[in-house]
Amino acid sequence: MAMQASLARRYAKALFSIALEDRQLEKVERELADFQALVESNRELATYLADPTILPTDKREALKGITEKMALSETVRNFIALLGEKGRIDAFQAIRAAFRQMADDHEGKAVAHVSSATSMAPDLEKNLAATLSKLTGRTVAISSKVDPELLGGIVAEIGGVVYDGSLKTQLRTLRERARQ
C-alpha cells in the first residue's frame, strides 16, 4: 500500500508539474475526474483495465481510443496511455487523489472530513468551515458524514490532523481522569 502511495505521488507530481507549467490545473483535474467517472460507471471497461493477462500495449491502444473519443487534452491522453503501457492504470485513483491534494495545496485549499452525531445544519457547517479556515490558513470545504457513536460534538480531520470535539472522547477522558 505504501509502495502504491509513493508511486501515485511520483506520477501525480509529474502530471502536476506539466499542468502547472501549462496553466491547466483545473482542466486536467476535470478531465481526470471525467475519466475516473467513466471507468467507475463501466464495469466491463474496469474489468478490462484490471486484467493482468491483457498486454500493456493493448491497454495503451484501448485507452488512447477512449481518451480521444472523450476529447481529453493531449496531456491527459498521453498520461493515461502511459499508465496503461506501464501497467500502472490500477493506480489511477490514487494518482488522481494525490494530484488533487497537490492542486489543493497549491491553491491554498483543504478539505475537512467532519463526522458528527447528527446531520449538521447548513449555517453550522458554514461557521465550522470559517473557523477551520482561520485555524489552518486555508480555504476549507467540508465533507461531512453522520456517526451516531460520537454521541454529540464533531470530529474534523484536515490533512492528517484530527480535531476531536466529540462527546464520546470527552467522556472517555473524564473516565480516565477519574481512575487516576
Side-chain angles (χ1 to χ4, degrees):
M1 189 65 137
M3 177 70 112
Q4 184 161 347
S6 174
L7 173 85
R9 280 191 301 275
R10 284 196 314 265
Y11 275 94
K13 185 176 182 181
L15 182 60
F16 180 79
S17 296
I18 294 167
L20 189 59
E21 184 179 310
D22 294 346
R23 300 174 200 244
Q24 298 288 320
L25 280 178
E26 284 186 33
K27 181 178 183 178
V28 168
E29 169 57 23
R30 187 176 56 254
E31 290 181 353
L32 293 174
D34 290 347
F35 179 76
Q36 184 172 343
L38 173 72
V39 173
E40 288 175 352
S41 68
N42 188 324
R43 174 59 59 211
E44 190 175 308
L45 175 59
T47 301
Y48 176 83
L49 293 175
D51 189 340
T53 64
I54 297 173
L55 294 174
T57 53
D58 292 341
K59 285 183 186 180
R60 183 195 68 211
E61 289 305 312
L63 289 166
K64 188 176 177 184
I66 291 166
T67 56
E68 284 175 0
K69 283 186 180 179
M70 291 179 71
L72 301 180
S73 65
E74 183 178 358
T75 299
V76 174
R77 285 194 324 260
N78 290 341
F79 182 76
I80 291 172
L82 175 71
L83 292 178
E85 184 176 336
K86 297 291 184 184
R88 302 289 193 200
I89 199 70
D90 61 324
F92 182 82
Q93 285 183 331
I95 293 167
R96 178 171 173 249
F99 182 92
R100 181 71 256 156
Q101 183 65 50
M102 289 174 194
D104 284 348
D105 289 346
H106 176 75
E107 296 167 354
K109 296 179 182 176
V111 175
H113 301 280
V114 177
S115 299
S116 58
T118 59
S119 295
M120 287 192 296
D123 60 328
L124 176 61
E125 198 169 295
K126 184 178 176 183
N127 289 339
L128 179 60
T131 301
L132 291 172
S133 291
K134 286 180 187 175
L135 192 62
T136 62
R138 297 176 167 270
T139 303
V140 174
I142 302 289
S143 170
S144 61
K145 71 175 184 175
V146 174
D147 182 359
E149 289 186 15
L150 295 178
L151 305 175
I154 64 162
V155 176
E157 183 272 325
I158 305 172
V161 178
V162 177
Y163 302 93
D164 191 340
S166 68
L167 183 56
K168 179 180 179 181
T169 299
Q170 291 174 16
L171 290 172
R172 184 176 55 234
T173 302
L174 283 173
R175 188 174 29 246
E176 288 171 2
R177 286 185 183 163
R179 289 183 182 163
Q180 293 178 355

